[in-house]
Amino acid sequence: EDDDLMAAWNGPQLNAYALDFLKHGQLGTIVHDNRVSAGRAWSLLFKWDLLLTSLASAVTKMQRSPDYAPTFSHLSKRFRLKFRALSEQG
């Protein structure tokens, strides 16, 4: 079933770009490994930054904050620091 979905996808084959960026923080590597433009890679990372920030906020604000709430907050902060550093390189 997953193979059928991938066969229908006409876009670039993206790997774990968000995790890779979190590990090394290098836009050039994301561009090369995923064969996307720098602008597209930046846009994808920006969306991940917003998503992680929203998830961390939502999980933290839950009435019974789950045990994994600090993990989301930590992950969100780590990603944001790397993304801000990338954005400042301009």
Coordinates of all heavy atoms in Angstrom, one line a residue:
E1 N 0.8 -1.2 0.0 CA 0.0 0.0 0.0 C 0.9 1.3 0.0 O 0.6 2.2 -0.7 CB -0.9 0.0 1.2 CG -1.9 1.1 1.2 CD -2.9 1.0 2.3 OE1 -3.5 -0.1 2.5 OE2 -3.1 2.0 3.0
D2 N 1.9 1.3 0.8 CA 2.8 2.4 0.8 C 3.5 2.6 -0.5 O 3.7 3.7 -0.9 CB 3.9 2.3 1.9 CG 3.3 2.5 3.3 OD1 2.2 3.1 3.4 OD2 3.9 2.1 4.3
D3 N 3.9 1.5 -1.2 CA 4.5 1.6 -2.5 C 3.6 2.2 -3.5 O 4.1 3.0 -4.3 CB 4.9 0.2 -2.9 CG 6.1 -0.4 -2.1 OD1 6.8 0.4 -1.5 OD2 6.2 -1.6 -2.0
D4 N 2.3 1.9 -3.4 CA 1.3 2.5 -4.3 C 1.3 4.1 -4.1 O 1.2 4.8 -5.1 CB -0.1 2.0 -4.1 CG -0.1 0.5 -4.6 OD1 0.7 0.0 -5.4 OD2 -1.1 -0.2 -4.1
L5 N 1.3 4.5 -2.9 CA 1.3 5.9 -2.6 C 2.5 6.6 -3.1 O 2.5 7.7 -3.7 CB 1.2 6.1 -1.1 CG -0.2 5.8 -0.4 CD1 -0.1 5.9 1.1 CD2 -1.3 6.7 -1.0
M6 N 3.7 6.0 -2.9 CA 4.9 6.5 -3.4 C 5.0 6.6 -4.9 O 5.5 7.5 -5.5 CB 6.1 5.8 -2.8 CG 6.3 6.0 -1.3 SD 6.3 7.7 -0.8 CE 7.8 8.3 -1.6
A7 N 4.4 5.6 -5.5 CA 4.4 5.5 -7.0 C 3.6 6.6 -7.6 O 3.9 7.2 -8.6 CB 3.9 4.2 -7.5
A8 N 2.5 7.0 -6.9 CA 1.7 8.1 -7.3 C 2.2 9.5 -7.1 O 1.8 10.5 -7.6 CB 0.3 8.0 -6.7
W9 N 3.2 9.6 -6.2 CA 3.8 10.9 -5.8 C 4.8 11.3 -6.9 O 5.7 10.6 -7.3 CB 4.6 10.7 -4.5 CG 5.4 11.9 -4.1 CD1 6.7 12.0 -4.1 CD2 4.9 13.2 -3.7 NE1 7.1 13.2 -3.6 CE2 6.0 14.0 -3.4 CE3 3.6 13.7 -3.5 CZ2 5.9 15.3 -3.0 CZ3 3.5 15.0 -3.1 CH2 4.7 15.8 -2.8
N10 N 4.5 12.5 -7.5 CA 5.4 13.0 -8.6 C 6.4 14.0 -8.1 O 7.3 14.4 -8.8 CB 4.5 13.8 -9.6 CG 3.6 12.8 -10.3 OD1 4.0 11.7 -10.6 ND2 2.4 13.2 -10.7
G11 N 6.4 14.3 -6.8 CA 7.3 15.3 -6.2 C 8.7 14.6 -5.9 O 8.9 13.5 -6.1
P12 N 9.5 15.4 -5.3 CA 10.8 14.9 -4.9 C 10.7 13.9 -3.8 O 9.7 14.0 -3.0 CB 11.6 16.1 -4.4 CG 10.6 17.1 -4.0 CD 9.4 16.8 -5.0
Q13 N 11.6 12.9 -3.7 CA 11.5 11.9 -2.7 C 12.2 12.4 -1.5 O 13.5 12.5 -1.4 CB 12.2 10.6 -3.2 CG 11.5 10.0 -4.4 CD 10.1 9.6 -4.1 OE1 9.8 9.0 -3.1 NE2 9.2 10.0 -5.0
L14 N 11.5 12.9 -0.5 CA 12.0 13.4 0.7 C 12.4 12.4 1.7 O 11.6 11.4 1.9 CB 11.1 14.4 1.3 CG 10.6 15.6 0.5 CD1 9.6 16.4 1.2 CD2 11.8 16.5 0.1
N15 N 13.5 12.5 2.4 CA 13.8 11.6 3.4 C 13.5 12.2 4.7 O 12.7 13.1 4.8 CB 15.3 11.1 3.3 CG 16.3 12.3 3.5 OD1 15.9 13.3 4.0 ND2 17.5 12.1 3.2
A16 N 14.1 11.9 5.8 CA 13.9 12.4 7.1 C 14.6 13.8 7.3 O 15.4 14.0 8.2 CB 14.3 11.4 8.2
Y17 N 14.2 14.7 6.4 CA 14.9 16.0 6.4 C 14.8 16.8 7.7 O 15.8 17.4 8.1 CB 14.4 16.9 5.2 CG 13.0 17.3 5.3 CD1 12.6 18.5 6.0 CD2 12.0 16.5 4.8 CE1 11.3 18.9 6.1 CE2 10.7 16.9 4.9 CZ 10.3 18.1 5.6 OH 9.0 18.4 5.7
A18 N 13.7 16.7 8.4 CA 13.6 17.5 9.6 C 14.5 16.9 10.7 O 15.2 17.6 11.4 CB 12.1 17.5 10.1
L19 N 14.5 15.5 10.8 CA 15.4 14.9 11.8 C 16.9 15.1 11.4 O 17.7 15.4 12.3 CB 15.1 13.4 11.8 CG 16.0 12.6 12.7 CD1 15.9 13.1 14.2 CD2 15.6 11.1 12.6
D20 N 17.2 15.0 10.1 CA 18.5 15.3 9.7 C 18.9 16.7 10.0 O 20.1 17.0 10.5 CB 18.7 15.1 8.1 CG 18.5 13.6 7.8 OD1 18.6 12.8 8.6 OD2 18.2 13.4 6.6
F21 N 18.1 17.7 9.8 CA 18.4 19.1 10.1 C 18.6 19.3 11.6 O 19.5 20.0 12.0 CB 17.3 20.0 9.6 CG 17.5 21.5 9.9 CD1 18.5 22.2 9.2 CD2 16.9 22.1 10.9 CE1 18.8 23.5 9.5 CE2 17.2 23.4 11.2 CZ 18.1 24.1 10.5
L22 N 17.8 18.6 12.4 CA 17.9 18.7 13.8 C 19.3 18.1 14.3 O 19.9 18.7 15.2 CB 16.8 17.9 14.5 CG 16.7 18.0 16.0 CD1 16.5 19.5 16.5 CD2 15.6 17.1 16.6
K23 N 19.8 17.1 13.5 CA 21.1 16.5 13.9 C 22.3 17.4 13.5 O 23.2 17.6 14.2 CB 21.3 15.2 13.2 CG 20.4 14.1 13.7 CD 20.6 12.8 13.0 CE 19.8 11.7 13.5 NZ 19.9 10.5 12.7
H24 N 22.2 18.0 12.2 CA 23.4 18.7 11.7 C 23.2 20.2 11.4 O 24.1 20.9 11.4 CB 24.0 18.0 10.5 CG 23.1 17.8 9.4 ND1 22.5 18.9 8.7 CD2 22.6 16.7 8.8 CE1 21.7 18.4 7.8 NE2 21.7 17.0 7.8
G25 N 21.9 20.6 11.3 CA 21.6 22.0 11.1 C 22.2 22.6 9.8 O 22.3 23.8 9.7
Q26 N 22.4 21.8 8.8 CA 23.0 22.3 7.5 C 22.0 22.3 6.4 O 21.6 21.2 5.9 CB 24.2 21.5 7.2 CG 25.3 21.5 8.2 CD 26.4 20.6 7.9 OE1 26.4 19.9 6.9 NE2 27.5 20.7 8.7
L27 N 21.6 23.4 5.9 CA 20.7 23.5 4.8 C 21.2 22.8 3.5 O 20.5 22.1 2.8 CB 20.3 25.0 4.5 CG 19.3 25.2 3.4 CD1 17.9 24.7 3.9 CD2 19.2 26.7 3.1
G28 N 22.5 23.0 3.2 CA 23.1 22.5 2.0 C 23.0 21.0 2.0 O 22.7 20.4 0.9
T29 N 23.1 20.3 3.1 CA 23.0 18.9 3.2 C 21.5 18.4 2.9 O 21.3 17.5 2.2 CB 23.4 18.3 4.5 OG1 24.8 18.7 4.7 CG2 23.3 16.8 4.6
I30 N 20.6 19.2 3.4 CA 19.1 18.9 3.1 C 18.8 19.1 1.7 O 18.2 18.3 1.0 CB 18.2 19.8 4.0 CG1 18.5 19.7 5.5 CG2 16.8 19.6 3.7 CD1 18.3 18.3 6.1
V31 N 19.4 20.2 1.1 CA 19.2 20.4 -0.4 C 19.7 19.3 -1.2 O 19.1 18.8 -2.1 CB 19.8 21.8 -0.7 CG1 19.9 21.9 -2.2 CG2 19.1 22.9 -0.1
H32 N 21.0 18.9 -0.9 CA 21.6 17.8 -1.6 C 20.9 16.5 -1.5 O 20.6 15.8 -2.5 CB 23.1 17.7 -1.2 CG 23.8 16.6 -1.9 ND1 24.0 15.4 -1.4 CD2 24.5 16.6 -3.1 CE1 24.6 14.6 -2.2 NE2 25.0 15.4 -3.3
D33 N 20.7 16.1 -0.3 CA 20.1 14.8 0.0 C 18.7 14.6 -0.5 O 18.3 13.5 -0.9 CB 20.1 14.5 1.5 CG 21.5 14.2 2.0 OD1 22.5 14.1 1.2 OD2 21.7 14.2 3.3
N34 N 18.0 15.7 -0.6 CA 16.6 15.6 -1.0 C 16.3 16.2 -2.4 O 15.2 16.1 -2.9 CB 15.7 16.4 0.0 CG 15.6 15.7 1.3 OD1 15.0 14.7 1.5 ND2 16.4 16.2 2.3
R35 N 17.4 16.6 -3.0 CA 17.3 17.2 -4.4 C 16.1 18.2 -4.5 O 15.3 18.1 -5.3 CB 17.1 16.1 -5.4 CG 18.4 15.3 -5.5 CD 18.2 14.2 -6.5 NE 18.3 12.9 -5.7 CZ 17.6 11.9 -5.9 NH1 16.7 11.8 -6.9 NH2 17.8 10.8 -5.1
V36 N 16.2 19.2 -3.5 CA 15.2 20.3 -3.6 C 16.0 21.6 -3.6 O 17.2 21.6 -3.2 CB 14.2 20.3 -2.4 CG1 13.3 19.0 -2.4 CG2 15.0 20.3 -1.0
S37 N 15.3 22.7 -4.0 CA 16.0 24.0 -3.9 C 16.2 24.4 -2.5 O 15.5 24.0 -1.6 CB 15.2 25.0 -4.7 OG 14.0 25.3 -4.0
A38 N 17.1 25.4 -2.3 CA 17.3 25.9 -1.0 C 16.0 26.6 -0.4 O 15.7 26.5 0.8 CB 18.5 26.9 -1.0
G39 N 15.3 27.3 -1.3 CA 14.1 27.9 -0.9 C 13.0 26.9 -0.4 O 12.3 27.1 0.6
R40 N 12.9 25.8 -1.2 CA 12.0 24.8 -0.8 C 12.4 24.1 0.5 O 11.5 23.9 1.4 CB 11.9 23.7 -1.9 CG 11.0 22.5 -1.6 CD 9.6 22.8 -1.8 NE 8.8 21.6 -1.6 CZ 7.8 21.4 -0.9 NH1 7.3 22.5 -0.2 NH2 7.1 20.3 -0.8
A41 N 13.6 23.8 0.7 CA 14.1 23.2 1.9 C 13.8 24.2 3.1 O 13.4 23.7 4.1 CB 15.6 22.9 1.8
W42 N 14.1 25.5 2.9 CA 13.9 26.4 4.0 C 12.4 26.5 4.3 O 12.0 26.5 5.5 CB 14.4 27.8 3.6 CG 14.3 28.8 4.7 CD1 15.3 29.1 5.6 CD2 13.2 29.6 5.1 NE1 14.9 30.0 6.5 CE2 13.6 30.3 6.2 CE3 11.9 29.8 4.6 CZ2 12.8 31.2 6.9 CZ3 11.1 30.6 5.3 CH2 11.5 31.4 6.4
S43 N 11.5 26.4 3.3 CA 10.1 26.5 3.6 C 9.6 25.2 4.3 O 8.8 25.3 5.2 CB 9.4 26.5 2.2 OG 8.0 26.5 2.4
L44 N 10.2 24.1 3.9 CA 9.8 22.8 4.6 C 10.3 22.9 6.1 O 9.5 22.5 7.0 CB 10.4 21.6 4.0 CG 9.9 21.3 2.6 CD1 10.8 20.3 1.9 CD2 8.5 20.7 2.7
L45 N 11.4 23.4 6.3 CA 12.0 23.5 7.7 C 11.2 24.5 8.5 O 10.9 24.3 9.7 CB 13.4 23.8 7.7 CG 14.4 22.7 7.1 CD1 15.8 23.3 6.9 CD2 14.4 21.5 8.0
F46 N 10.8 25.6 7.9 CA 10.0 26.6 8.5 C 8.6 26.0 9.0 O 8.2 26.2 10.1 CB 9.7 27.8 7.6 CG 8.8 28.8 8.1 CD1 9.2 29.7 9.2 CD2 7.5 29.0 7.6 CE1 8.4 30.6 9.7 CE2 6.7 30.0 8.1 CZ 7.1 30.8 9.2
K47 N 8.0 25.2 8.1 CA 6.8 24.6 8.5 C 6.9 23.6 9.6 O 6.1 23.5 10.5 CB 6.2 23.8 7.3 CG 5.7 24.8 6.2 CD 5.2 24.1 5.0 CE 4.7 25.1 4.0 NZ 4.3 24.5 2.7
W48 N 8.1 22.9 9.7 CA 8.3 22.0 10.8 C 8.5 22.8 12.1 O 8.1 22.3 13.1 CB 9.6 21.1 10.5 CG 9.2 19.8 10.0 CD1 9.3 19.4 8.7 CD2 8.7 18.7 10.7 NE1 8.9 18.1 8.6 CE2 8.5 17.6 9.8 CE3 8.4 18.5 12.1 CZ2 8.0 16.4 10.2 CZ3 7.9 17.2 12.4 CH2 7.7 16.2 11.5
D49 N 9.2 23.9 12.0 CA 9.4 24.8 13.2 C 8.0 25.2 13.7 O 7.8 25.1 14.9 CB 10.2 26.0 12.8 CG 10.5 26.9 14.0 OD1 10.9 26.4 15.0 OD2 10.3 28.1 13.8
L50 N 7.1 25.6 12.9 CA 5.8 26.0 13.3 C 5.0 24.8 13.9 O 4.4 25.0 14.9 CB 5.0 26.6 12.2 CG 5.5 27.9 11.6 CD1 4.6 28.4 10.4 CD2 5.5 29.0 12.7
L51 N 5.1 23.7 13.2 CA 4.4 22.5 13.7 C 4.9 22.1 15.1 O 4.1 21.8 16.0 CB 4.6 21.3 12.7 CG 4.0 20.0 13.2 CD1 2.4 20.1 13.2 CD2 4.4 18.9 12.2
L52 N 6.2 22.0 15.3 CA 6.8 21.6 16.6 C 6.4 22.6 17.7 O 6.1 22.2 18.8 CB 8.3 21.4 16.5 CG 8.8 20.2 15.7 CD1 10.3 20.3 15.5 CD2 8.4 18.9 16.3
T53 N 6.5 23.9 17.3 CA 6.1 24.9 18.3 C 4.6 24.7 18.7 O 4.3 24.8 19.9 CB 6.3 26.3 17.8 OG1 7.7 26.4 17.4 CG2 6.0 27.4 18.8
S54 N 3.8 24.5 17.8 CA 2.3 24.3 18.0 C 2.1 23.1 18.9 O 1.3 23.1 19.8 CB 1.5 24.2 16.7 OG 1.6 25.4 16.1
L55 N 2.7 22.0 18.5 CA 2.6 20.7 19.2 C 3.0 20.9 20.7 O 2.4 20.4 21.6 CB 3.3 19.6 18.6 CG 2.7 19.0 17.3 CD1 3.6 18.0 16.6 CD2 1.4 18.3 17.6
A56 N 4.2 21.5 20.9 CA 4.7 21.6 22.2 C 3.8 22.5 23.0 O 3.5 22.2 24.2 CB 6.1 22.3 22.2
S57 N 3.2 23.5 22.5 CA 2.3 24.4 23.2 C 1.0 23.7 23.5 O 0.5 23.7 24.7 CB 2.0 25.6 22.3 OG 1.0 26.4 23.0
A58 N 0.5 22.9 22.6 CA -0.8 22.2 22.8 C -0.6 21.1 23.9 O -1.5 21.0 24.7 CB -1.3 21.6 21.5
V59 N 0.5 20.4 23.8 CA 0.7 19.3 24.7 C 0.9 19.8 26.1 O 0.4 19.3 27.1 CB 1.8 18.4 24.3 CG1 2.3 17.4 25.4 CG2 1.5 17.6 23.0
T60 N 1.6 20.9 26.2 CA 1.9 21.5 27.5 C 0.6 22.1 28.2 O 0.4 22.1 29.4 CB 2.9 22.7 27.4 OG1 4.1 22.1 26.8 CG2 3.2 23.3 28.7
K61 N -0.3 22.6 27.3 CA -1.6 23.2 27.8 C -2.7 22.2 28.1 O -3.7 22.6 28.6 CB -2.1 24.3 26.8 CG -1.2 25.5 26.8 CD -1.7 26.4 25.7 CE -0.7 27.6 25.6 NZ -1.1 28.6 24.6
M62 N -2.5 20.9 27.8 CA -3.5 19.9 28.1 C -3.8 19.9 29.6 O -2.9 20.2 30.4 CB -3.0 18.6 27.6 CG -2.9 18.4 26.1 SD -2.2 16.9 25.6 CE -3.5 15.7 25.9
Q63 N -5.1 19.6 29.9 CA -5.5 19.6 31.3 C -4.6 18.7 32.1 O -4.2 19.1 33.2 CB -7.0 19.2 31.4 CG -7.6 19.4 32.7 CD -9.1 19.2 32.7 OE1 -9.6 18.5 31.8 NE2 -9.8 19.8 33.7
R64 N -4.4 17.5 31.6 CA -3.4 16.6 32.3 C -2.2 16.5 31.4 O -2.2 15.6 30.5 CB -4.1 15.3 32.5 CG -5.2 15.3 33.5 CD -5.7 13.9 33.7 NE -6.9 13.9 34.5 CZ -7.7 12.9 34.7 NH1 -7.5 11.8 34.1 NH2 -8.7 13.0 35.5
S65 N -1.3 17.3 31.6 CA -0.1 17.4 30.7 C 0.6 16.0 30.8 O 1.0 15.5 31.8 CB 0.8 18.4 31.2 OG 1.9 18.6 30.4
P66 N 0.7 15.3 29.6 CA 1.3 14.0 29.6 C 2.8 14.0 29.9 O 3.4 15.1 29.9 CB 1.1 13.6 28.1 CG 0.8 14.8 27.4 CD 0.3 15.8 28.3
D67 N 3.3 12.8 30.2 CA 4.7 12.7 30.6 C 5.6 13.2 29.5 O 6.8 13.6 29.7 CB 5.0 11.2 30.9 CG 4.3 10.8 32.2 OD1 3.9 11.6 33.0 OD2 4.2 9.6 32.4
Y68 N 5.2 13.1 28.2 CA 6.0 13.4 27.1 C 6.0 14.9 26.8 O 6.7 15.4 25.8 CB 5.7 12.6 25.9 CG 4.3 12.6 25.5 CD1 3.8 13.7 24.7 CD2 3.4 11.6 25.8 CE1 2.4 13.7 24.3 CE2 2.1 11.7 25.4 CZ 1.6 12.7 24.7 OH 0.3 12.8 24.3
A69 N 5.3 15.7 27.5 CA 5.2 17.2 27.2 C 6.6 17.8 27.3 O 6.9 18.6 26.4 CB 4.2 17.9 28.2
P70 N 7.4 17.5 28.2 CA 8.8 18.2 28.2 C 9.6 17.8 27.0 O 10.4 18.6 26.5 CB 9.4 17.6 29.5 CG 8.3 17.3 30.4 CD 7.2 16.8 29.5
T71 N 9.4 16.6 26.5 CA 10.1 16.1 25.3 C 9.7 17.0 24.1 O 10.6 17.4 23.4 CB 9.8 14.7 25.0 OG1 10.2 13.9 26.2 CG2 10.6 14.2 23.8
F72 N 8.4 17.3 23.9 CA 8.0 18.1 22.8 C 8.6 19.5 23.0 O 9.0 20.1 22.0 CB 6.5 18.2 22.8 CG 5.9 17.2 21.9 CD1 5.3 16.0 22.4 CD2 5.9 17.3 20.5 CE1 4.8 15.1 21.6 CE2 5.3 16.3 19.7 CZ 4.8 15.2 20.3
S73 N 8.6 20.0 24.2 CA 9.1 21.4 24.4 C 10.6 21.4 24.1 O 11.1 22.4 23.5 CB 8.9 21.8 25.9 OG 7.5 22.0 26.1
H74 N 11.4 20.4 24.6 CA 12.8 20.4 24.3 C 13.1 20.2 22.8 O 13.9 21.0 22.3 CB 13.4 19.2 25.1 CG 14.9 19.0 24.8 ND1 15.8 19.8 25.3 CD2 15.5 18.0 24.0 CE1 17.0 19.4 24.8 NE2 16.8 18.3 24.1
L75 N 12.4 19.4 22.1 CA 12.5 19.2 20.7 C 12.2 20.4 19.9 O 13.0 20.9 19.1 CB 11.6 18.0 20.2 CG 11.7 17.6 18.8 CD1 13.1 17.1 18.4 CD2 10.7 16.6 18.5
S76 N 11.2 21.1 20.3 CA 10.8 22.3 19.7 C 11.8 23.4 19.8 O 12.2 24.1 18.9 CB 9.4 22.8 20.2 OG 9.1 24.1 19.7
K77 N 12.4 23.6 21.1 CA 13.4 24.6 21.3 C 14.7 24.3 20.6 O 15.3 25.2 20.0 CB 13.6 24.7 22.8 CG 12.5 25.3 23.6 CD 12.7 25.3 25.1 CE 11.5 25.8 25.8 NZ 11.6 25.6 27.2
R78 N 15.1 23.0 20.5 CA 16.3 22.6 19.8 C 16.2 22.9 18.3 O 17.1 23.5 17.7 CB 16.6 21.1 20.0 CG 17.7 20.8 21.0 CD 18.0 19.4 21.1 NE 18.9 19.0 20.0 CZ 19.1 17.8 19.6 NH1 18.4 16.8 20.1 NH2 19.9 17.5 18.6
F79 N 15.0 22.6 17.8 CA 14.8 22.8 16.3 C 14.8 24.3 16.1 O 15.4 24.8 15.1 CB 13.5 22.1 15.9 CG 13.4 22.0 14.4 CD1 13.8 20.9 13.7 CD2 12.9 23.1 13.6 CE1 13.7 20.8 12.4 CE2 12.8 23.0 12.3 CZ 13.2 21.8 11.6
R80 N 14.1 25.0 16.9 CA 14.0 26.5 16.7 C 15.4 27.2 16.7 O 15.7 28.1 15.9 CB 13.1 27.1 17.7 CG 13.1 28.6 17.6 CD 11.8 29.3 17.9 NE 10.8 28.9 16.8 CZ 9.6 29.4 16.9 NH1 9.2 30.2 17.8 NH2 8.7 29.1 15.9
L81 N 16.2 26.8 17.7 CA 17.6 27.3 17.8 C 18.3 27.1 16.5 O 19.0 28.0 16.0 CB 18.3 26.8 19.0 CG 17.9 27.3 20.3 CD1 18.6 26.5 21.4 CD2 18.2 28.8 20.5
K82 N 18.3 25.9 16.0 CA 19.0 25.6 14.7 C 18.4 26.3 13.5 O 19.1 26.8 12.7 CB 19.0 24.1 14.5 CG 19.9 23.4 15.4 CD 20.1 21.9 15.0 CE 21.0 21.2 16.1 NZ 22.3 20.9 15.6
F83 N 17.1 26.4 13.5 CA 16.4 27.1 12.4 C 16.7 28.6 12.4 O 16.9 29.2 11.4 CB 14.9 26.8 12.4 CG 14.2 27.4 11.2 CD1 14.4 26.8 10.0 CD2 13.4 28.4 11.3 CE1 13.8 27.3 8.8 CE2 12.7 29.0 10.2 CZ 12.9 28.4 9.0
R84 N 16.7 29.2 13.6 CA 17.0 30.6 13.7 C 18.5 30.9 13.3 O 18.7 31.9 12.6 CB 16.8 31.1 15.2 CG 15.4 31.4 15.5 CD 15.3 32.0 16.8 NE 13.9 32.3 17.2 CZ 13.4 32.6 18.4 NH1 14.3 32.6 19.4 NH2 12.2 32.8 18.6
A85 N 19.4 30.0 13.7 CA 20.8 30.2 13.3 C 20.9 30.1 11.8 O 21.6 30.9 11.1 CB 21.6 29.1 13.9
L86 N 20.1 29.2 11.1 CA 20.1 29.1 9.7 C 19.5 30.3 9.1 O 20.1 30.9 8.1 CB 19.3 27.9 9.3 CG 19.0 27.8 7.8 CD1 20.3 27.4 7.0 CD2 17.9 26.7 7.5
S87 N 18.5 30.8 9.6 CA 17.8 32.0 9.1 C 18.7 33.3 9.2 O 18.7 34.1 8.3 CB 16.5 32.3 9.8 OG 15.6 31.2 9.5
E88 N 19.5 33.3 10.2 CA 20.4 34.5 10.4 C 21.6 34.5 9.5 O 22.2 35.5 9.2 CB 20.9 34.5 11.9 CG 19.8 34.9 12.9 CD 20.2 34.7 14.3 OE1 21.3 34.3 14.6 OE2 19.3 35.0 15.2
Q89 N 21.9 33.3 8.9 CA 23.0 33.2 8.0 C 22.6 33.9 6.7 O 23.5 34.4 6.0 CB 23.3 31.7 7.7 CG 23.9 31.0 8.8 CD 24.1 29.5 8.5 OE1 23.9 29.1 7.4 NE2 24.6 28.8 9.5
G90 N 21.3 33.9 6.4 CA 20.7 34.6 5.2 C 21.5 34.5 4.0 O 21.5 34.9 3.0

